[in-house]
Amino acid sequence: MCTLREYRQGDEGMVFALLESALKRYGLSVNPEETDADIQDIDESYIRSGGAFKVLEDNGAVVGSYGLYTIDEKTCELRKMYLKAEYKGKGLGKKMMEDAFIVARSLGFSTMVLETNS
């Protein structure tokens, strides 16, 4: 059974592995110095800046994630929303997206933006 929960210190390695696996499926690689620098310090990049980061956990393993990155007082960016391939098609992505909207509203954001690779 999968549980969506707040990111905790110690999750970084599993989040990085999830990111690496997801990007590899699309012929991309992790770039920790630039586009993926936010994963190096999730607390600083997301939590302390007024955003949020959640992971989807199954039996202690991180199988999905999403982050709400603060752009300004009213705007956040949905980032790092990934789901392991074997968990797709089960409504878990929808569950994460719905949760992201609820959390964004609770943090006072009225606009959510998305940037993605093609």
Side-chain angles (χ1 to χ4, degrees), residues 16-85:
F16 189 85
L18 172 67
L19 171 63
E20 191 171 46
S21 171
L23 291 177
K24 189 176 184 178
R25 286 195 308 264
Y26 300 103
L28 303 170
S29 58
V30 178
N31 186 339
E33 285 77 40
E34 292 180 22
T35 55
D36 301 312
D38 55 342
I39 294 300
Q40 301 296 327
D41 190 345
I42 292 172
D43 279 318
E44 183 65 32
S45 297
Y46 292 91
I47 313 304
R48 285 188 224 128
S49 68
F53 199 95
K54 288 200 172 184
V55 297
L56 185 66
E57 184 178 66
D58 186 19
N59 292 315
V62 171
V63 300
S65 69
Y66 79 81
L68 298 176
Y69 183 86
T70 302
I71 302 294
D72 62 38
E73 187 177 291
K74 295 292 180 184
T75 308
C76 67
E77 179 181 356
L78 179 66
R79 289 187 176 180
K80 306 303 186 235
M81 186 167 179
Y82 295 107
L83 186 61
K84 279 192 166 190

Side-chain angles (χ1 to χ4, degrees), residues 8 42 63 65 83 90 94 97 107 111:
R8 295 189 292 250
I42 292 172
V63 300
S65 69
L83 186 61
K90 299 178 181 184
K94 180 180 179 182
M97 193 70 239
L107 293 172
T111 303

